[in-house]
Amino acid sequence: MLAEVFALINEMPLAFPIALAALTILHEDVAIAAGAGLVSAGTMDFSLTAMALLAGIIGGDCLIYSLGLLSTRVGRLRRYTERPVFAKCRSALESNLLATLVTARLVPGVLFPMYFACGVIRVRFDRFLLTTLATAVLHVGILLALLTSSIGLTSGDVSMAGLGLAVLLIGARTRNGRALMAKGASLFGAPAKLVDSVAGEAPAPTQAVQLPGMPLVPAGYRPIGLAERIPPLLFYIPLALQWLALGLRHRSLTLPTAANPSIEAGGLLGESKIRCMDLIGPAAHHWVADCRAAVNDGSWSVERLETLAADAGLTFPLVAKPDIGWRGFGVRLVQDATELQAYLAEMPQGCAFILQAFVPFAGEAGVFYARYPGQTQGTIFSLTLRYFPHVVGDGLSTLEQLIARDARASWKGDLHRAALRGRLDEVPAAGQVVRLALVGSSRVGGLYKDGCSLITPALIRQFDAIADAMPGFHFGRFDLRFASADRLARGEDFRIIEVNGAGAEAIHVWDPDMGLGQVYADLFHQQSLMFDIAAANRAIGTRPLSLRGLVGYQQKQQRLLCIYPASN
C-alpha cells in the first residue's frame, strides 16, 4: 500500500507537500515516516518535508478544536457547557496545557478526544495554537531527524518511543519520577536549587500534627502522597479496567447497584443522604448525629427556619448540607438562622437539604464496613483518620503566610485563600490552630492517615450491631466524629455524620505514606468485594439498575454539584 502511494506521488511532484499534509490526518507517525523515506531517497528536501508535515498537523489540530467548538452550538450540549464546572475544567486545563497536549501528542488514541475537549470547554485558542505548534515542531523535528539518520528507526519504534516519552512525562509529574530526574541532574553536576526544583518534593513538615482526640502525626511526615500527585484520569484507569473485567465475569456492569438493596442505586451515586441515615433504626439511633431534611422552596424566613430547627430538637450552630452530595460539596457550618437563610438563598429552589447537629468532637474518621447477606458478622476492612486542613499560628505570620509555608495547606492554597479572603491578614497567636475548612475531605486538602490499628473486636461488634439495625445495608463507609482514638477503638463516644453506600472509597489509600502498589491492591480488593456482595444479593432476588438508570442518577448528581453553595 505504501509503495503504491509513493509511486502515485512520483508522478505528481507538486503534490508531495499536499499528500504528506493530508496523510498526517490519518496518522502523524506514518506521515513522518513517509516524509523521512522521501528525504532519504532524495525526492524531497528536509525543510520542505518538515514544513509540509507541520502544516498538516497544525491544520488537523485546529480542525479538531473547531469541531469541539462547533459542537457547543447544539442546544442540548450547550446547556451542559455553560455550567460552572466547565469554567473550572477550562482553568485546570489551561494551567496544565503544555503537559496535557504533549501527552496527547505522544500517546496513541488520546489526541482527538483531548483536542476536541479543548474546543468544547473553550480553551483560549491563542494558547492552544501556540502550545500545539510548539509540541508539533518538537515532535516532527526530533522524529524526522531520527528517521532520516543512520539509526534506522521504524514507525513502530516511533510509536514505542512516543509511549516511553509519555511515561516519562507522567512520571515527571509524580514524586518518584521527579526524584529520579533530580538524581540524574545531580549526577551531571546540576546546582542544588535546580535539583530541588526538578524533584518537586514539598519539604517535610517540621511541626507535628496534633489535634484534640486524634493520634499524633510526628514531624517529618510525608505531606503529599504519590497517589495524590497522579492526575485522577490516569489514576483510575486500572480500576476502570478491573471494573470492566468484573462486570464481564458477573455478566453485569451495573451489578454494584445491588450491593445495598435498601439504598437507591446501591449508594453508588446520586442517593439521598437523609434516607441513608434514616436506615439506622431505633436500636442504634443514639450513635447518629441528629438531623432533619427539608426542601428549599425559596421562601424560608428566619422565623420558619428557627421553628424547623426547634421542632427537630436542633440548636445552632448547625451543619447545613445538600441531601445529594459528594466529597463535601455544599457543606457549611451556620451559626444562626440568618446564616442559614443566606445559605439557602444560594441553593437552587427545589433542592433538598439537611440540617444536622454540629458534633463538637475534633476527631474524624471513615469506617468501611462490609457484610455478606445472610451473615451475622461483618468486617471493617478500612479505618481512616481524617485531619482537617489547618495551620498553626506563630504570633508573627499572617494567615496567608502560614498557608504558603505549610506543605499540605499550600497544596490547596488557592482554595483556602478564596474561602478565607476576608481573614488573610489576621495574625494567629502562637500555637493557635486555625481550621481552614469545615470538611476534612481530600478535595480541600484534608490529611488522611491509615487507622487500621484502631480496628478492634469491640469496634467490629459495635458496627455489627449498627448494621443489624439497617436492613438491606451490606457495604459502605460510615463517616463519624469521635472524642478520642482510644475510646473509638473501644466502640465508644462517636457519632455517625454520614452513611455512604457502594460509591464510597476506602480512603485509607490516600495516606501519603502508602505505596502505590498497596494503594491499588487495596482498591482492587474493595471493588472485588463489592461485586461479590452484590452478586450474592442478586442471587436472592435483588435486581441491579439498568445502565440507563444508573446514568440518570449520575447526571442528577453532577447537575446538582455544579450549582450548590460553596462550603466553608
Side-chain angles (χ1 to χ4, degrees):
M1 172 71 88
L2 194 57
E4 294 173 356
V5 173
F6 278 133
L8 180 61
I9 293 177
N10 259 330
E11 296 177 3
M12 303 169 61
L14 294 178
F16 287 172
I18 298 174
L20 278 180
L23 189 56
T24 60
I25 297 176
L26 298 178
H27 199 293
E28 290 180 7
D29 290 344
V30 171
I32 295 173
L38 290 172
V39 172
S40 299
T43 307
M44 282 186 67
D45 177 70
F46 184 95
S47 300
L48 179 60
T49 301
M51 291 299 294
L53 291 169
L54 280 174
I57 290 174
I58 298 301
D61 293 347
C62 292
L63 176 61
I64 297 171
Y65 178 95
S66 299
L67 290 174
L69 188 62
L70 288 172
S71 71
T72 61
R73 295 190 176 184
V74 179
R76 190 169 183 179
L77 290 176
R78 186 168 60 247
R79 290 197 298 271
Y80 289 96
T81 58
E82 290 175 350
R83 291 176 179 172
V85 68
F86 276 85
K88 296 178 182 178
C89 291
R90 184 185 307 114
S91 175
L93 186 55
E94 287 186 340
S95 64
N96 296 280
L97 194 59
L98 179 61
T100 302
L101 296 191
V102 169
T103 303
R105 179 76 67 197
L106 298 176
V107 178
V110 176
L111 188 145
F112 185 91
M114 184 58 69
Y115 285 25
F116 188 86
C118 287
V120 170
I121 65 176
R122 298 185 179 92
V123 169
R124 281 176 47 190
F125 181 72
D126 56 345
R127 292 203 60 207
F128 172 84
L129 182 60
L130 289 174
T131 306
T132 193
L133 177 62
T135 60
V137 167
L138 291 174
H139 186 64
V140 170
I142 292 173
L143 294 186
L144 190 60
L146 289 174
L147 287 167
T148 56
S149 69
S150 58
I151 297 176
L153 292 177
T154 66
S155 60
D157 296 327
V158 170
S159 294
M160 291 305 296
L163 285 171
L165 289 171
V167 169
L168 287 176
L169 176 67
I170 295 167
R173 295 178 64 80
T174 65
R175 175 183 176 274
N176 288 353
R178 281 194 293 269
L180 283 174
M181 293 175 67
K183 288 179 182 178
S186 63
L187 289 175
F188 287 97
K193 287 185 178 180
L194 177 60
V195 172
D196 292 339
S197 175
V198 171
E201 176 69 5
T206 58
Q207 193 171 41
V209 177
Q210 188 166 20
L211 298 178
M214 298 284 279
L216 176 74
V217 180
Y221 67 92
R222 179 183 293 176
I224 303 170
L226 174 58
E228 293 177 290
R229 292 182 182 275
I230 299 176
L233 184 62
L234 292 175
F235 178 84
Y236 284 104
I237 286 176
L239 293 166
L241 294 175
Q242 189 212 19
W243 187 295
L244 179 61
L246 290 170
L248 293 174
R249 189 176 80 186
H250 289 282
R251 304 183 309 282
S252 174
L253 291 176
T254 62
L255 182 60
T257 60
N260 297 303
S262 57
I263 302 178
E264 303 165 277
L268 193 61
L269 43 78
E271 74 279 11
S272 164
K273 296 299 183 184
I274 194 66
R275 291 180 188 172
C276 292
M277 295 287 279
D278 288 344
L279 282 177
I280 304 177
H285 199 72
H286 58 284
W287 296 112
V288 179
D290 292 335
C291 51
R292 173 76 176 269
V295 175
N296 182 25
D297 59 12
S299 61
W300 285 99
S301 64
V302 171
E303 293 74 17
R304 280 187 67 202
L305 290 171
E306 289 175 340
T307 301
L308 175 67
D311 290 346
L314 300 171
T315 57
F316 289 95
L318 294 172
V319 175
K321 55 186 176 181
D323 185 37
I324 297 175
W326 182 66
R327 298 185 71 188
F329 277 96
V331 179
R332 189 180 296 182
L333 181 66
V334 292
Q335 299 295 332
D336 51 38
T338 302
E339 285 192 12
L340 177 56
Q341 186 185 43
Y343 169 82
L344 293 178
E346 299 176 38
M347 178 175 280
Q349 292 187 27
C351 286
F353 65 94
I354 298 173
L355 297 182
Q356 187 173 72
F358 176 64
V359 180
F361 299 150
E364 188 169 330
V367 176
F368 214 115
Y369 178 88
R371 180 162 69 177
Y372 282 89
Q375 292 186 347
T376 58
Q377 294 181 328
T379 182
I380 296 175
F381 69 87
S382 169
L383 193 154
T384 310
L385 299 168
R386 287 203 282 211
Y387 294 77
F388 56 75
H390 67 281
V391 291
V392 181
D394 58 8
L396 301 172
S397 306
T398 64
L399 193 52
E400 184 170 19
Q401 292 169 335
L402 292 171
I403 292 172
R405 282 205 304 265
D406 186 274
R408 185 77 189 177
S410 62
W411 188 46
K412 301 288 186 179
D414 290 344
L415 188 152
H416 297 319
R417 281 187 287 271
L420 302 170
R421 54 185 174 274
R423 301 177 52 195
L424 293 177
D425 292 333
E426 288 183 14
V427 179
Q432 179 185 351
V433 175
V434 180
R435 188 167 187 157
L436 303 178
L438 173 66
V439 296
S441 75
S442 58
R443 180 179 65 85
V444 296
L447 176 64
Y448 290 4
K449 300 298 291 182
D450 185 9
C452 64
S453 61
L454 301 178
I455 302 175
T456 62
L459 187 63
I460 295 174
R461 284 195 300 271
Q462 193 60 264
F463 276 92
D464 278 336
I466 293 172
D468 286 340
M470 301 175 66
F473 179 85
H474 300 282
F475 184 87
R477 191 184 71 233
F478 296 90
D479 290 338
L480 51 89
R481 288 191 171 168
F482 58 88
S484 72
D486 290 341
R487 297 186 70 80
L488 175 62
R490 295 199 295 269
E492 303 171 353
D493 281 357
F494 65 85
R495 292 293 180 274
I496 297 169
I497 58 174
E498 192 165 291
V499 177
N500 303 278
E505 197 168 54
I507 53 176
H508 73 276
V509 300
W510 300 109
D511 184 336
D513 289 327
M514 184 160 288
L516 192 59
Q518 189 61 49
V519 167
Y520 278 115
D522 289 355
L523 290 177
F524 287 154
H525 168 68
Q526 176 189 335
Q527 282 200 162
S528 180
L529 179 60
M530 175 177 64
F531 269 86
D532 287 345
I533 289 176
N537 278 323
R538 182 177 61 180
I540 57 176
T542 301
R543 295 184 59 183
L545 276 180
S546 66
L547 184 59
R548 182 176 181 179
L550 183 59
V551 169
Y553 276 95
Q554 187 276 332
Q555 290 179 336
K556 177 177 66 174
Q557 175 176 289
Q558 192 60 43
R559 183 173 64 251
L560 291 171
L561 292 179
C562 299
I563 54 180
Y564 284 152
S567 55
N568 63 3

